[in-house]
Amino acid sequence: MSQAAQYEPIERRKVYELIAEQLLAQISERRLQPGDVLPPERELTRLYRSGRSSVREALRMLESQGLIESMGNGSFAVAGYANLLHSPLRLLLSLDQATMHDIYELRQILECEAAALAAERHTAEHLALMDAAIEEMAAGLASAGDDRGDRYIEADLRFHVTIADATGNGLLLHTMQALRDIIRRALMSIFRIPGSPEASLEQHRAIRAAIAGRDPERARAQMREHLVRVESDVRGGLAVDGSVRG
Ligand SMILES: [Zn+2]
């Protein structure tokens, strides 16, 4: 199973991911410079001979990663150098030889200590952002829409990134942002496991309570418990359905 988990069949790659990857390669190779305006959506659709919705999705993904910025009129420009700073790490991770276990081990190393620091350093604003993320996860779970999984997962990721932000350590925040895409893939595989998203929601509430209570020990322990459980669910998910690499 661990062998199988390291290979992702080509046909299961989504078109928008391939487009995003090509644009990202152009940025990282400096063929597209900070401030350069990307070709318009219609032009990209023609160049990639793909559907317009795939181009749109790719642009949305790069925008959410802070690699491109909206110019307002539907066009996008490559983000400034500060935002591109963490792209080498993301590139490394996207070309990854990393196994799912490597990723969860790294998450434990980073996020358990991040939770402890967040308990000491957070502001009211961080708690409000964590609450909003928890509410959105619950709303995603309760909804019947096609996008319920995406809503839930984006909110889940936002919760974890907010904790990194609450440490006040910018490097930690950038590292978590760079890890986000690879974590997203793992989370997609467990959203469909009965009971798993509900369990994560409860654990997020427990982590939030420990941070709000300014209890670093408990925040660290709750985060560890959460990550250990999620990793074991990802493994279970892979055993049931080998199509998603963690
Ligand atoms: Zn989580």
Side-chain angles (χ1 to χ4, degrees), residues 96-159:
D96 64 81
Q97 297 303 309
T99 65
M100 203 244 325
H101 180 68
D102 293 335
I103 291 152
Y104 274 83
E105 193 167 79
L106 178 59
R107 287 194 71 180
Q108 278 201 41
I109 291 167
L110 293 173
E111 294 195 57
C112 294
E113 287 317 302
L117 291 173
E120 289 166 350
R121 300 177 183 168
H122 70 269
T123 64
E125 194 191 339
H126 293 119
L127 293 181
L129 287 170
M130 290 166 76
D131 287 340
I134 288 171
E135 263 172 48
E136 176 67 8
M137 287 171 79
L141 263 183
S143 105
D146 284 347
D147 64 341
R148 60 193 297 267
D150 289 339
R151 281 179 70 183
Y152 173 92
I153 289 164
E154 289 311 315
D156 187 341
L157 292 166
R158 238 176 7 249
F159 180 85

Side-chain angles (χ1 to χ4, degrees), residues 207-244:
I207 293 165
R208 190 267 184 216
I211 290 174
R214 300 200 175 269
D215 186 339
E217 234 94 291
R218 195 152 59 90
R220 186 189 286 116
Q222 296 285 3
M223 180 62 84
R224 189 177 311 279
E225 199 180 308
H226 174 51
L227 293 175
V228 166
R229 204 212 89 250
V230 172
E231 184 184 354
S232 102
D233 280 0
V234 173
R235 279 182 194 289
L238 287 170
V240 173
D241 167 11
S243 70
V244 183

Side-chain angles (χ1 to χ4, degrees), residues 38-69:
L38 299 184
E41 199 177 282
R42 188 178 309 144
E43 178 68 3
L44 289 172
T45 303
R46 193 185 63 77
L47 290 168
Y48 289 122
R49 289 184 216 130
S50 71
R52 197 149 173 168
S53 62
S54 296
V55 167
R56 201 168 293 157
E57 185 64 30
L59 293 172
R60 210 170 66 176
M61 184 169 136
L62 293 175
E63 188 190 16
S64 78
Q65 294 169 0
L67 293 168
I68 60 174
E69 289 163 346

Side-chain angles (χ1 to χ4, degrees), residues 8-10 12-24 54-55 57-59 61-62 181 184-185 188 245:
E8 184 176 21
I10 289 296
R12 286 184 171 121
R13 296 295 308 280
K14 296 202 173 106
V15 173
Y16 81 85
E17 289 178 340
L18 296 170
I19 294 174
E21 213 160 84
Q22 287 208 25
L23 286 169
L24 183 58
S54 296
V55 167
E57 185 64 30
L59 293 172
M61 184 169 136
L62 293 175
D181 298 326
R184 182 183 286 116
R185 272 185 267 161
M188 301 238 176
R245 180 184 56 177

